[in-house]
Amino acid sequence: MSTVPARTAQDLTADVAGGIGHSPQRPDGVLKVRGEFAYSSDLWADDMLWGATLRSPHPSARIRGVDTSAALALPGVYAVLTHADIPGPSKHFGLVVSDQPVLAIDEVRYQGEAVAVVAADHPETARRAVAAIRVDYAVREPVTDAAAARADDAPRVHPDGNIVRYARIRRGDPAPTADVVVRGEYAIGMQDQAFLGPESGLAVPAADGGVDLYVATQWLHADQRQIAPCLGLPQDKVRLTLAGVGGAFGAREDLSMQIHACLLALRTGRPVKFVYSREESFFGHVHRHPATLSYETGATRDGKLVYVKGSVVLDGGAYASSTPAVVGNATSLGAGPYEVPNVHMDVWGMYTNNPPCGAMRGFGSVQAAFGYESQLDRLAAALGLDPVELRLRNALHQGSTMPTGQVVDSAAAVREILTAVRDMPVPPTDPGTDPLGLPGGAGNTTHGEGVRRGIGYAVGFKNVGFSEGFDDHSTARVRLGVVGGEPVAVVRTAAVEVGQGHVTVQQQIARTELGVDRVVIPPADTSMGNAGSSSASRQTYLTGGAVRAACRAVRDRVLDRARARTGVRDGLDLAGGNVVDAGGAVLVPLAELLADGEIDETAVYRPRRTAPMDPDTGRQDFAHLQFAFCAHRAVVDVDTELGLVRVVELAAAQDVGKAVNPGALVGQIHGGSVQGMGLALMEEIQVEGGIVRNPSFTDYLIPTILDTPPMPVEVLELADPHAPYGLRGVAEPPTISAAPAVVAAIRAATGRPLTRIPVRPQDITG
Amino acid sequence: MRVTIEINGTERVLDDVWEGESLLYALRERAGLPGAKNACEQGECGSCTVYLDGRPVCACLVAAGQAAGHAVRTVEGLSTVDGELDRVQRAFLAAGAVQCGFCTPGLIVATHDLLARVPSPDDAQIREALSGNLCRCTGYEKILDAVRLAAGSPA
């Protein structure tokens, strides 16, 4: 077992009920179990219209003409808009690069691209109107091979060429040699976030000529920044309020129906609601980048890594979305959580006519991890070493130098989490003969014949927060007042609750910092300062940091008031709704102090600023704010005759720095692990010639409760002294290590190379 | 057309229902009961699970007209009239089985049905009974905890 304590001292003085370190009930929980929580698809206004979208059936085509007259003539249709109806000044949007038309302008670059939108009095009327729009397409041959799209003479998806971003690392010996060298080519399919709550929202035209948009998103201010210039409105006339979010996982970082709904609301003067169907949802958001990876890994005979050479091509599809950041992660994290003295990484993010790809949990790292972890297993086999032992001999640790040159300046518990999963009890080896406990399950395909057991390990890591020089920050406003004779804190931010429990964390921080029980979290909206995105495992760190800072500003003023009132100068603290002295005795109730007026403070939290990597060498001493690590051990049973897999157990260990909400973070580890398992075994958007073949939950499979194994979790708390409360981002690392661990286990059971995920039955049976 | 359905014990008359509308749409958009959720509308995810004459169904796969003259019970109808939560609702909260919550109403109805049929289900029975309900957030571990907890609580 680990010799390092699993927990380091925290900068918390008091243990407050419902505060930091507890797992209080989430504030939206009762509404959610009653079915009364208002998701974006539940919104309703008296005279609202329904929006619908006409999408391109072709992955690449010129548009020779659009005829909307038949659609407009249908009774109940109030508006039909094309790009010609966009006020501008901008007709494009995009998270990083504004390259995507709000509605297609003279050409379409992927199947599903929005061409026209309709508002009608019933969703069926809107669908019929969409069907009545005539578009004259001149179909072109789509660009579908991301690697081939790099060629100078490849057809161009965008005028400036097909490379969205190329990044590289050149560290150490330019021509390294090693005793033992293994090479591998790997491929990853296109994964979908498959959140359950479809893209939806309600745009309401306002009396001041602006628009109020109630929407499920991940980042209110990024939406506002992209929407306003397309409507010809200043930002303060485009007001966003967060509606209930039915999961996100990266898919809501880009715009979907936001601009369309606002355009139609402003045109018709009536509220307009959009709700995508599941099929439309598959076309309405970006996916995880498919990737091809080529790795060469060299080591000494005693298993010390000498070099990693990696080449990765990420298919970004038709528009840039967050491809630049995905490339940055795959480059800087591409050698894995190991000490490697010589590293060459070359990573391309490409435009093609495939569906656009962008953010999904663990982006850039998920793809690279399948490559570097598969290589480590290959290397272990070549060296005759245990795969865990090989990883331990090379494990990254605090003080290690990353391929970028960045020195890891807080715990990097690779050794500790690996040994933790290795040392957990192993499930019983006999799967029995009940088909429900065997591969194939209720399909009753085996009673144990041909079934082999395998165990596999993997480690993954991820940068927390926005990297490479982004001005990452968040804003919080905290007001402490009295309601009904009791002190109540109101915490306002623009941070998005997507299900992860961020609203609970905000309450916990306020309870701990202010010693009050009642904390109100109003809906997030753009009247507050930018909170950044609920992505990159960053919100507890960033907005948590802002809430803590605002609380501490409030606390300082409260204590000043208390000193003036009581004359006691030193040792004052807040607890149980009172100001207390050093001995814990009540000096004055908060309610009494606040009778002189409530206290209201706003704080902006900025963590240490990162900086861009050198374009030639990748060199950068501080490209990433923080690293977070997870390890998995997967145990699988494989029916080697039919190629069916049953995951018996998926054990995880993760260092979280500080378990701010132990219950919620274990929930994140469970959910993230299953998304990684799904990528390993079943989840793939099948794209042929730019055409999506399986846009439904009938054909795009995500794990059910029958597919999902028990998942023991061990949580380590090795504080990061640079982060609020010592915490480390949690949500993404489990998705990164789960997939390679499951595949390693299937390899152990079958001896097959399995260089592609998801693993298909034919990959196992040969 | 006009459709009359008993919903959560009350007879409801819904007007101007288009023949192609699902029970799910009628509940959500006409009866003001958005608890049944619209995650796939293809009968694959279970998020819209409601009781129809005491049997759990995907409301998206039932035409509103088919439900005419029948009794529907939704997640909104599980708590008592004075608002007290059902034991399944309490257990989902206590176990931390709710994240985004979009699957929750369907899972609560499916669990409510399971416990009515099998008061003390083992894990295999729970997994089989809930295999038609997708959840993307939780990895199902805490949902299993919730069902075990509810089974151990008085109905």
Side-chain angles (χ1 to χ4, degrees):
Chain A
M1 284 296 286
S2 160
T3 53
V4 175
R7 182 168 187 170
T8 47
Q10 310 291 330
D11 67 338
L12 289 171
T13 53
D15 186 40
V16 177
I20 297 294
H22 292 233
S23 302
Q25 187 176 300
R26 47 185 310 143
D28 53 12
V30 170
L31 286 174
K32 284 180 172 176
V33 299
R34 281 184 188 280
E36 292 170 356
F37 183 73
Y39 294 90
S40 53
S41 54
D42 300 336
L43 304 176
W44 188 86
D46 236 352
D47 53 349
M48 75 180 188
L49 300 172
W50 289 81
T53 312
L54 173 68
R55 297 180 179 276
S56 168
H58 308 295
S60 180
R62 269 197 321 108
I63 295 177
R64 287 188 290 232
V66 181
D67 179 1
T68 61
S69 55
L72 272 167
L74 285 175
V77 172
Y78 286 75
V80 181
L81 306 182
T82 68
H83 75 87
D85 300 296
I86 300 169
S90 177
K91 294 192 175 195
H92 294 78
F93 68 96
L95 207 50
V96 182
V97 184
S98 190
D99 63 350
Q100 183 161 359
V102 174
L103 293 166
I105 304 172
D106 302 334
E107 63 177 319
V108 288
R109 297 187 178 89
Y110 74 98
Q111 182 210 13
E113 180 156 0
V115 176
V117 288
V118 168
D121 59 6
H122 188 283
E124 178 61 18
T125 313
R127 275 193 291 273
R128 289 177 185 181
V130 161
I133 299 170
R134 295 281 164 259
V135 183
D136 182 9
Y137 292 105
V139 175
R140 301 181 296 211
E141 188 64 28
V143 175
T144 58
D145 182 330
R150 291 178 299 175
D152 288 338
D153 59 350
R156 292 189 166 197
V157 178
H158 290 268
D160 292 340
N162 293 336
I163 298 175
V164 181
R165 184 182 179 190
Y166 163 71
R168 64 190 215 166
I169 300 270
R170 292 291 181 272
R171 179 178 191 228
D173 187 344
T177 56
D179 301 338
V180 180
V181 174
V182 292
R183 296 180 183 83
E185 310 282 328
Y186 305 95
I188 293 159
M190 184 185 290
Q191 188 179 21
D192 189 65
Q193 299 86 349
F195 52 51
L196 290 191
E199 291 87 346
S200 44
L202 180 70
V204 183
D208 66 351
V211 62
D212 291 286
L213 177 64
Y214 302 83
V215 68
T217 178
Q218 286 178 240
W219 188 356
L220 290 163
H221 286 81
D223 285 13
Q224 182 190 39
R225 172 177 56 78
Q226 296 170 79
I227 297 166
C230 298
L231 304 179
L233 290 173
Q235 301 230 350
D236 61 356
K237 289 205 171 181
V238 180
R239 295 163 294 255
L240 275 73
T241 302
L242 185 68
V245 182
F249 317 115
R252 295 188 211 271
E253 238 186 4
D254 295 80
L255 297 180
S256 57
M257 44 56 67
Q258 283 91 331
I259 301 175
H260 299 159
C262 292
L263 285 169
L264 287 166
L266 291 167
R267 172 63 72 98
T268 61
R270 289 173 63 166
V272 174
K273 171 172 169 172
F274 270 81
V275 181
Y276 287 1
S277 69
R278 179 52 52 184
E279 178 174 353
E280 185 169 22
S281 177
F282 273 96
F283 296 101
H285 62 251
V286 299
H287 313 291
R288 187 188 297 292
H289 288 69
T292 53
L293 309 94
S294 175
Y295 268 91
E296 182 179 312
T297 308
T300 62
R301 269 188 199 88
D302 59 355
K304 285 293 284 180
L305 289 171
V306 175
Y307 72 90
V308 169
K309 289 185 182 178
S311 164
V312 179
V313 179
L314 297 150
D315 185 351
Y319 296 103
S321 180
S322 47
T323 295
V326 178
V327 168
N329 290 356
T331 309
S332 56
L333 308 175
Y338 305 106
E339 290 199 306
V340 193
N342 306 291
V343 177
H344 293 198
M345 289 297 302
D346 294 276
V347 181
W348 289 265
M350 302 302 301
Y351 281 129
T352 66
N353 293 117
N354 289 322
C357 289
M360 184 177 174
R361 203 172 197 165
F363 71 34
S365 300
V366 164
Q367 291 91 339
F370 181 58
Y372 62 67
E373 286 300 85
S374 297
Q375 285 289 100
L376 265 278
D377 287 343
R378 245 175 225 211
L379 187 59
L383 290 163
L385 266 178
D386 173 72
V388 174
E389 178 55 31
L390 175 63
R391 286 171 170 84
L392 293 177
R393 287 185 191 181
N394 295 281
L396 201 72
H397 53 79
Q398 183 165 356
S400 295
T401 303
M402 295 283 297
T404 52
Q406 178 166 357
V407 176
V408 180
D409 64 5
S410 70
V414 176
R415 162 173 290 276
E416 292 79 1
I417 57 179
L418 257 174
T419 51
V421 288
R422 183 192 63 193
D423 295 342
M424 284 187 196
V426 180
T429 47
D430 181 9
T433 54
D434 179 356
L436 277 182
L438 289 164
N444 197 19
T445 49
T446 179
H447 294 87
E449 61 279 11
V451 174
R452 303 274 177 278
R453 171 71 50 100
I455 298 181
Y457 293 87
V459 192
F461 73 146
K462 176 73 177 40
N463 51 324
V464 173
F466 292 158
S467 296
E468 298 187 69
F470 190 89
D471 176 24
D472 208 1
H473 66 277
S474 183
T475 316
R477 177 179 175 186
V478 174
R479 202 173 74 218
L480 188 61
V482 181
V483 177
E486 272 189 71
V488 175
V490 179
V491 178
R492 301 203 53 169
T493 75
V496 168
E497 168 63 49
V498 294
Q500 80 278 45
H502 186 62
V503 286
T504 323
V505 164
Q506 290 187 18
Q507 288 185 316
Q508 292 177 255
I509 291 171
R511 288 192 191 109
T512 289
E513 297 296 332
L514 298 173
V516 298
D517 183 46
R518 290 179 61 194
V519 182
V520 176
I521 313 288
D525 65 40
T526 48
S527 72
M528 281 303 307
N530 197 343
S533 181
S534 289
S535 64
S537 305
R538 64 180 283 288
Q539 213 54 292
T540 304
Y541 193 138
L542 271 291
T543 297
V547 171
R548 183 176 75 159
C551 285
R552 288 186 175 176
V554 167
R555 173 193 167 88
D556 287 347
R557 286 183 55 196
V558 170
L559 294 183
D560 281 347
R561 247 186 228 183
R563 287 186 194 100
R565 171 80 66 98
T566 64
V568 179
R569 306 303 306 169
D570 300 322
L572 271 60
D573 202 356
L574 300 179
N578 300 298
V579 179
V580 297
D581 68 14
V586 175
L587 290 172
V588 54
L590 274 176
E592 202 176 308
L593 268 187
L594 295 166
D596 298 343
E598 62 184 28
I599 293 176
D600 191 339
E601 289 287 341
T602 297
V604 176
Y605 177 69
R606 280 193 158 76
R608 296 180 294 165
R609 180 79 176 257
T610 61
M613 298 188 289
D614 181 272
D616 290 327
T617 63
R619 173 89 197 182
Q620 175 47 252
D621 292 346
F622 200 65
H624 297 306
L625 175 63
Q626 187 187 54
F627 301 101
F629 304 83
C630 186
H632 276 95
R633 182 190 68 196
V635 179
V636 302
D637 283 334
V638 183
D639 182 334
T640 53
E641 294 164 7
L642 293 176
L644 301 176
V645 177
R646 179 171 183 272
V647 181
V648 175
E649 187 196 73
L650 189 57
Q654 184 166 340
D655 170 31
V656 303
K658 167 68 188 173
V660 172
N661 183 320
L665 76 83
V666 168
Q668 288 295 306
I669 294 171
H670 286 151
S673 298
V674 171
Q675 290 183 4
M677 185 191 86
L679 173 62
L681 293 177
M682 63 186 82
E683 294 189 32
E684 182 176 10
I685 296 181
Q686 313 233 355
V687 183
E688 292 171 17
I691 301 289
V692 175
R693 295 298 184 194
N694 57 340
S696 74
F697 279 169
T698 308
D699 297 313
Y700 182 91
L701 302 181
I702 65 174
T704 70
I705 196 168
L706 279 173
D707 300 315
T708 305
M711 292 181 284
V713 174
E714 187 161 328
V715 171
L716 278 65
E717 295 183 276
L718 305 174
D720 177 351
H722 310 286
Y725 306 113
L727 69 84
R728 205 174 281 288
V730 168
E732 295 176 287
T735 305
I736 298 165
S737 45
V742 169
V743 178
I746 306 172
R747 288 191 195 111
T750 64
R752 305 286 303 176
L754 304 179
T755 56
R756 179 193 188 282
I757 48 175
V759 174
R760 299 159 297 192
Q762 64 267 34
D763 300 328
I764 293 171
T765 59
Chain B
M1 62 181 180
R2 168 174 285 194
V3 176
T4 304
I5 307 173
E6 185 197 309
I7 304 174
N8 297 331
T10 305
E11 188 174 283
R12 298 287 300 270
V13 179
L14 308 177
D15 281 320
D16 301 324
V17 175
W18 171 58
E19 289 77 357
E21 277 178 23
S22 66
L23 173 60
L24 178 64
Y25 183 91
L27 289 170
R28 291 173 52 77
E29 304 295 337
R30 299 196 183 277
L33 293 169
K37 297 261 92 59
N38 55 320
C40 81
E41 299 188 70
Q42 296 169 320
E44 294 287 350
C45 75
S47 303
C48 64
T49 304
V50 299
Y51 283 115
L52 180 63
D53 292 338
R55 293 175 58 190
V57 298
C58 289
C60 71
L61 295 183
V62 177
Q66 281 181 296
H70 294 272
V72 172
R73 191 178 182 197
T74 72
V75 69
E76 289 99 334
L78 292 188
S79 29
T80 61
V81 180
D82 56 6
E84 194 188 326
L85 296 179
D86 179 81
R87 63 171 171 163
V88 179
Q89 292 170 316
R90 291 197 306 271
F92 269 67
L93 278 179
V98 179
Q99 287 190 32
C100 93
F102 212 80
C103 68
T104 302
L107 274 159
I108 284 176
V109 174
T111 301
H112 190 271
D113 171 65
L114 167 68
L115 296 184
R117 291 184 288 111
V118 187
S120 301
D122 61 25
D123 281 4
Q125 288 171 308
I126 297 171
R127 288 183 190 275
E128 188 174 2
L130 302 185
S131 62
N133 292 77
L134 297 177
C135 170
R136 191 56 160 168
C137 295
T138 66
Y140 305 103
E141 283 282 83
K142 288 173 186 285
I143 290 170
L144 281 157
D145 290 343
V147 180
R148 295 181 198 119
L149 183 63
S153 312

